[in-house]
Structures are given as C-alpha cells and as structure tokens.
Amino acid sequence: DEWASLAASEGVAEPNVLKVYDPSTSLEYFSRRPVTLLKRAWRSGVLLGALSFNLWLDNKLRRRPEDGEVDNAEKKRNETDAKRAAQLVDILIKLGPTYVKLGQVLSSRQDLLPPPYIERLRTLQDSVPPFDDAIARRIVNDQLGPSNVEGLRISDSPLASASLGQVYKGELDGKQVAVKVQRPGALVAVSLDVCIIRAFGPTIYKISDKDGNLDSQALIDEWGRRFIDELDYGLEARNGEAFAAAMRARTDELGQVVTAPAVVPNACTRRVLTTEWVDGCRLDESDADDVPRLCAVALSAYLCMLLDTNLLHVDPHPGNLLRTTDGRLCILDWGLVTDVTPQQSDAILQFIAHLVSQDYGKVDRDLVTMGFVAPEKMAALNDEGLTNAIATLFSA
C-alpha cells in the first residue's frame, strides 16, 4: 500500500535527526526530499481537504444547527456528525497506520469530538493489516544479530497487529516469549505524516469548531512527541522494567497483584522488543469471578503511578489490561507513558482535597498546575464556566 511504499523508500536505516521529535527539524529534513513531501502532502491534502470542505459546507448550510435554531437540532447535528465521522474513518484507513493511530488516540477524547465521531473512531482498533512475515523476520535478524537470533524461534504469523508493529509468539533458550516487531520504515513515514498533519490539522479544527479554545498545534506537537517516543522499543522496555521494579519493591498487596512482562534485554533494540510470554485473558473478556476485584486493583495501580512511581501508563485500553492465569493484573504496552512530576502529584492531591472540601474556587489553578490547562488558557477556562460546572457536579 501507499504507506508501506513510503516507508520502504528510505531503506532500513533510521535517520538520527528524526529520532527525537522536533517539527522544524522534520520540516527541514523533508524539504530536502521535495518529491516525497509533495506526493504525500498532495495525497493527504486531497483527502483531508475534501473532509474540510464538507465540514465548512455543513456550517455554511447550517447542517449542525444550535439548539433552538430549528426543531430536532440535536438529531440533525448527530446525523451530520455520523456522516462526517464515517468519511473521516475511511480517510484515516486510506492514509495508513499513522492516521489510524491518530484516530485511535482521538477515540478516547470525548472532550474534543462529538459522540458520533467517538463511536466511529473506536472501530479503528482492528483496521490495520499485518505486514509481510518475511520482512518481520529480516528486521529481527538485522536488529538482534546472529548471536542473539540463533536461539530464537517465532511463530509463522503474528498473533496481533497494531498501527506501529505486530507481535509474534516465540521461544528463546527454552522459554516462551513475545516478540514485537516494528513496521519497516516507520520512523520516516510517521515523521512525514506528523509534519503534514501539523500543517493541515489546525486549519481543519478551526473550520470544524470555529469557537473552540483548543491550541490544536500544541496538541499535535504533544501527540507527535509521544508518537516518536513510542517508536523507540528500547524506551518502552525501560518503562516496563521501571514499573515492574516499583511493584516488586512494594510491601503491600498491590505489589503482589500487579506486574508488567519481564524484558529480555539481549533481545531488544529500538525496533524489536522481546518480553516473557504472559498467559492470560483480556480483563474485559474474562469471565473469572475476581474481575471486579482486578478492576479495582487497576484503579489503584493507576493512582499509584500518579502519586508514587511518577511514571503514568497512558494507553489503558482493554487490550493492554490482562488477567493472568494465576489471578494477577498484567499491564502491557509501555510505549506510551508520561512522566508525573512531584509538583503534579502534589497538585493532584490538592485537587482532590479541594473537591472534597468544596473549595471549588481553587480548582482552576489545580488544573493548570497538573498540566491539564496551559496558564495562558486560564481566562478561556473561566469564560467557559468549567469551575462552576465542576462545583455544580460535585455539590449535587
């Protein structure tokens, strides 16, 4: 497909300048490759431009009327949003894994998109086909080298395929392992796509939400930074190890019940991640009697990350929460995380204290300190009446 061809065009080498997200560096890199940039930009621009035009037309023709403007305004808005959401998902699939990943991220942002978009975007979880197994094996061989590959055997086909890579079940030195292999050329292809999204995204947002206060460019930069970090499987390995070590060091029950897959260090690189194989079932698909307890354990684990370990797993969709055969909770996929500073941890506690004590006047400052709202957006936050809404909600 187009994304695979784009990814393969740069070969197997990863440009060092793209390994850390920097929008100006990415633009400079691809400006020296004008044919690649213009071809992909044209393809993206045509598809996203068609969506932008339809969104503009919807506003112009009042296909998304405000309440009170016409009868059944909410129904008309939902019908229009459902139609555009279907168009958006079709475009994301055509543009490939980068855009599918963006759609998956947006599917959890009910604060940004109307419900019909959220519902449609959630169908993207299974929309990325696997890449060729022969290519995956070649990547494993090139990345790990002869000495480490010699004792490694992987399954004929992947057990799971995602937007950035696919997972094989394998055996290494007599032990069962999971081997995640990154899509070929992903760094170059993702960097180019993020560069283009950064150019088009803010315009599309302004058209679709003309009164919105969102700093869309800052949001895209944050997403791009996380996306590029997620391509470093060595970083993912360190994140998982750090969490597992923090759980082992605890003397309470949480440390005995929650874990992450153990990493096999000599079989990990930037593009190949090997961990122990964990037998179990997705938490949301398990019919075990202790699932309600493990859901509470999962909540406790995430509170622990926020207030204690200072490393927060920010991709907690059901596929990453596993009930092991011995009744523990195993958290998978540590590529997407965020650091929580001590100041933010303190702010979270203060936020909770202000809610409990009904001191709602300090909530807006808490949101800024926690990093949820930029300081320059404080006025917009107050204009939107969020603090009053929180006060109404918690005092009900």
Side-chain angles (χ1 to χ4, degrees), residues 14-25:
E14 291 187 314
N16 287 327
V17 294
L18 299 180
K19 290 180 179 179
V20 176
Y21 178 72
D22 184 321
S24 58
T25 299

Side-chain angles (χ1 to χ4, degrees), residues 144-162:
L144 300 186
S147 59
N148 291 322
V149 170
E150 186 176 354
L152 177 63
R153 302 289 182 269
I154 63 174
S155 54
D156 294 333
S157 58
L159 300 184
S161 177

Side-chain angles (χ1 to χ4, degrees), residues 169 176-178 259-262 275-281 322-326 328-332:
K169 186 174 184 178
Q176 289 187 330
V177 294
T259 187
T275 65
E276 67 171 346
W277 181 263
V278 179
D279 285 314
C281 177
L322 196 73
R323 182 197 180 276
T324 66
T325 53
D326 60 356
R328 294 191 298 164
L329 176 70
C330 184
I331 302 177
L332 309 175

